Amino acid sequence: QDVTTLKVHFFLPPTSFANTLFIQPWCDKVAKESNQKLKCQLYPSMQLGGTPPQLYDQVRDGVADIVWTLPGYTAGRFPSIEAFELPFMMQSPEATSKALWDFVQLHGQNEFKDVKPLAFHVHGDGVFHMSGKPVKSMADLRGLKLRAPTRQTNKFIAMLGATPVSMPVPQVGDALSKGVIDGAVVPYEVVPAVKLQELAKFHSETDPKEAAFYTATFIFAMNKAKYDSLPADLKKVIDANSGQALSGQIGKAFLQADVEGKKLVSPASVNVIPASELATWKQLGNKLAADWVKDMDAKGLQGSKLLDDAKALIAKHAAAR
Amino acid sequence: MDSQNLGAQPSMRRLEWLCDASAALGALVLSAVALMTTVSVIGRAFFAHPILGDVELVQLGGAIVVASFLPYTQFRRANIIVDFFTTGARASTQRLMDAFGTLLYTAVVALITWRVAAGGLSMHASQERSMLMDLPLWIPYLLMLPGLTLCVVIGAVQTVQQLRAEVPA
Amino acid sequence: MSTMSIGLSMFGAMLVLMAVRVPIAIAMFVPGALGYIFLSGFDPLLAHLKGAVYGRVSVYDLSVIPLFMLMGAVAVQGGLSKALFDFANALLGRFRGGMAMAGVLACAAFGSISGSTVATTATIAQVAYPQMRRIGYSGRLSTAALATGGTMGVLLPPSVTLMVYAILTEQNITKVFLAAYVPALIAAVGYIIAIAVMVRLNPQDAPPAQAATRAEVVTAGLKVWPIVTIFAVVFGGIYGGLFTATEGAAIGNVLTCAITLIRREMDRAKFVAAVRTTAQTSGMIFLIFIGADMINAALALSQLPAQLADVVSHLQISPLMVMAGVMLFYVVLGCVMDEMSMILLTVPTLFPVIMGMDFFGLGPADKALWFGILILTVCEIGMIFPPVGLNVYIMNGLARDVPMVETYKGVVPFLITDGMRLALLIAFPATALWLVHLLT
Ligand code: NA
Ligand code: NA
């Protein structure tokens, strides 16, 4: 039997933790378990063309066989999953990633029906990476241009008093160095992929005992027709390497990536935003969540049920650890 | 390229008018983008209040601007060719080559027009919106279509002209 | 057919189509699309094109092109750029070829912030080219100087290409920038010498040196303040980090239009002419982007750049020969790719190979910096190297009265200095490294 090559397309460079700790190991495992019949051809850094927001359509339409991307880059298309991108939802990436997988099984089947999802996951705690001054309180954000990834996080950034600028991660380094933005919110995992250890002077975390002030959701998905075209034995390999378990593993890998990424920045450049300050932020977060619920209701999507289910699933998986 | 000669034909005059109109529309959108960006920078610099979503407006506008500018470029035959290897060729040979080139141009632009239309339909179906202003993304796709369609028409007309030797090479 | 031979066929077909007068954007697009079909299928091609064209024309950073085109066209029609050049010429006219040298330096300054050689060349040429011709520069020297100057932004910090190299190879950005300064300076000096030699050997290339009188300088200076103000605001703001290049271009547009309207130097006919120029040049540039994008996607799919890099690395030859092969390889890639695509597609494969070889006993960190400066230098050269140099095409498209052959003739002296710079860099890695060692 011939070797099937899977074109894997994603936006980060090959040196990113996302590749070295998750995508490449996944490919190696799949190749091994299929006796080298399933092989990845990696196309990092958007080599196949298009923009990061177009990755989802690319895997849906067969431009790529597998992509790793953020549903939130395409605003408005995957509304229910936004429940996980509301502020202060996530404490453990592993538990939240498992919960996210379960949540999509419950509520997202229609939104993701055009692809074969292999995993859903979230990244670790969002961190402020600033070029001018550290963030110690909301007041420090006033008037600054801040990059954020998704619609809900952009709204939250605006509530905190900063001006949100929306751009995919790969542009962050250049934008920071040229002063297009004053800072960016991303987890430590992204630090080497955009050189934040050099381009940002300050890294402001929120109190680690508190939930993350934001996270973003990711999808690792395969083209449906490609999956369907595989013989039964290879389908089994894919099935064994997808689902809730893989989602949890990726969440765990991203936590590890955060640890590795944080090692790259100088300890003196890190500060912690205390829980006392975060109390005000949480009130704003609740307001954003209430707005989101109303928004979902208007779309006929039962906003409060979505939010409650998301919280319940996260709590369930957090308790199981 | 002899524009005097082109302008002499009524059909070409009409096409030129359309290309001018398309370019003017592009320039209008471009000026609006410039003005909006300037207002946003002033708002940011002096009032800490930029226009939320100024970047995405530039992106959306940029697509419309470029598509609106493309027809005039082809009307002037300003899409660059390499004359390096054919400077010695006979005028009739050059004209045939140009007809072939324009035919390929027409085919490519027709393909692109079709695919941008399909992309717009797909955006409409998926309800994708811009991040901050919540603008439907099928709109810029749609607004690219008049310019692209005009490119196809001009390419087709020019191909026929070149084959009939109506235009000096 | 192997993916590699498909990749090579695309290259060959592109060259043939270009040779028979097919517009270069189309000569890139057609083999790219056919190659894509061979490699991936017809449906994937259709799917790719649904988003790719929109993706290419809706890039925030590239919107500087139509914006600066319009600003330049309005400034030209409103007489502002003539005033600027009269003043610059009053100052520099005493040096033969001085305006061409100033053009090169203007390109370098703009290129280091704009992030794209093509955008740089188009923007500066829009303003500078007609004026250079007006005061008596030959088409050959004007186009060659501006096309070559446009490539300098690849190397000159804060180049985004350098930054991407640093990320892909996990090098320190500051050190990469430091390593680039001296080679970039050598490039500028080399180009200025090239111009000085050219105008000496071919006196018809530049107007005779003519020292302006004090009165002439003052007269020209009095007319120049509007455009100088605009430039000071736009470029000062961009360099000072107050706003982005796109924002600067937008502000420049508003200011230029306002000043020409206030001074009643704009009428309907002039405005129509400005819009037409803007449409024509922007359309020309973006169609090339669309064509190059298609063939780049197909080349990425074919893995040709990575495979060729692999072939080069397995040749049983000395490291310096491998390096020579690598250099040649980039010059060829420069036919169809911009600097960023070249770096993204090849560095991940080539870099480990180079790191595994011995060059003058350089340590890994030094080797990485040196190699980065080397390949970025060759990327620059690839953009203007005959017979296919993307930047030469763009420049020539803006200078409709100059045959391509003339531009290439003009580029030769610049290429000679580039060759010497490259040789210097290869023989003496210290050219790039001493500043790094000095300051870190
Ligand atoms: Na070349
Ligand atoms: Na020309």
Side-chain angles (χ1 to χ4, degrees), chain B residues 11-30:
Chain B
S11 64
M12 289 313 279
R13 263 209 300 271
R14 270 197 296 277
L15 272 183
E16 181 170 28
W17 187 87
L18 282 173
C19 293
D20 271 340
S22 183
L25 180 80
L28 197 71
V29 175
L30 187 61

Side-chain angles (χ1 to χ4, degrees), chain C residues 193-249:
Chain C
I193 293 174
I195 293 169
V197 172
M198 269 170 100
V199 298
R200 179 159 294 224
L201 296 181
N202 298 305
Q204 72 278 16
D205 272 343
Q210 196 178 19
T213 64
R214 181 166 298 213
E216 281 168 336
V217 175
V218 171
T219 318
L222 287 176
K223 287 186 191 152
V224 83
W225 68 265
I227 185 93
V228 167
T229 310
I230 294 172
F231 271 73
V233 169
V234 171
F235 291 95
I238 296 173
Y239 269 105
L242 284 179
F243 38 73
T244 67
T246 302
E247 288 168 346

Side-chain angles (χ1 to χ4, degrees), chain C residues 396-397 399-404:
Chain C
N396 203 263
R400 303 273 289 160
D401 54 331
V402 182
M404 193 83 78

Side-chain angles (χ1 to χ4, degrees), chain A residues 86-102:
Chain A
L86 292 167
F88 303 105
M89 288 290 283
M90 193 275 305
Q91 190 111 39
S92 146
E94 186 182 357
T96 310
S97 296
K98 285 182 185 169
L100 179 59
W101 174 270
D102 289 353

